[in-house]
Amino acid sequence: MTLDLPDLAAMDAFGARIAARLRPGDVVALSGGLGAGKTTLARGIIAALGHRGEVPSPTFTIVEAYAPPAVRMPLVHADFYRLERAEEAAELGLDDYREGAALIAEWPERVGGFAEEPGCLAVRLEIAGKGRRAIVEPGAGWQGRWP
Ligand SMILES: Nc1ncnc2c1ncn2[C@@H]1O[C@H](COP(=O)(O)OP(=O)(O)OP(=O)(O)O)[C@@H](O)[C@H]1O
Ligand SMILES: [Mg+2]
């Protein structure tokens, strides 16, 4: 399924739509090149889950965690761009962070991707003129939730 995201307002609305359907254990896998809008969409999801204030990009920290009551469910926002080996995700303690939490993953292919998980909502962002386009592929666990 392809979605047109002509501006930042459309991106926020898309983030809110994902947030409304998100459950603990899910992964939102955000792929797309540099500047495609992955962090922007992640911020839209995190804001719609209740977070107020800044959402730092996890470019350098790799992992940022959010906990209730500030957000509706435990949340992990990760950016795997800087990882060189898939095993580094485990070394960071990703499994522990993910316990009972939803994961928003930028550059998921750096750690082997999450396509084998039924709770994976794969979102590929592409630049389209001044805006963006999203190609959304829901895993089996999203049946009845997406679209
Ligand atoms: N739907 C949209 N329409 C227009 N501009 C957008 C849209 N989504 C994001 N942008 C803009 O694109 C720029 C890059 O966005 P962002 O930082 O989210 O990309 P990214 O995919 O996280 O990049 P990187 O891989 O370098 O971290 C930002 O200036 C953002 O405001
Ligand atoms: Mg980014």
Side-chain angles (χ1 to χ4, degrees):
M1 170 203 168
T2 303
L3 266 176
D4 284 322
L5 304 163
D7 51 30
L8 293 177
M11 205 68 153
D12 271 348
F14 182 36
R17 195 171 155 193
I18 293 172
R21 291 160 174 77
L22 195 66
R23 294 179 190 154
D26 287 340
V27 188
V28 182
L30 301 177
S31 58
L34 291 170
K38 301 177 294 297
T39 301
T40 304
L41 180 57
R43 288 183 169 132
I45 298 169
I46 294 166
L49 286 169
H51 179 78
R52 294 291 165 263
E54 239 178 277
V55 172
S57 172
T59 309
F60 295 102
T61 54
I62 316 263
V63 174
E64 295 281 346
Y66 298 83
V71 281
R72 184 164 68 74
M73 73 185 81
L75 200 63
V76 185
H77 178 200
D79 182 340
F80 297 119
Y81 183 71
R82 286 155 53 87
L83 299 194
E84 282 166 9
R85 298 171 297 113
E87 302 77 58
E88 288 178 63
E91 290 161 19
L92 284 167
L94 184 66
D95 289 347
D96 293 333
Y97 280 111
R98 288 192 64 188
E99 192 70 46
L103 171 65
I104 301 171
E106 300 186 44
W107 295 97
E109 60 277 11
R110 285 281 203 274
V111 294
F114 296 92
E116 79 288 357
E117 296 190 23
C120 182
L121 183 74
V123 178
R124 163 161 287 278
L125 292 166
E126 294 176 351
I127 293 177
K130 288 180 180 168
R132 303 291 185 270
R133 177 190 310 121
I135 297 106
V136 187
E137 286 178 35
W142 283 79
Q143 199 167 20
R145 283 193 284 162
W146 198 277

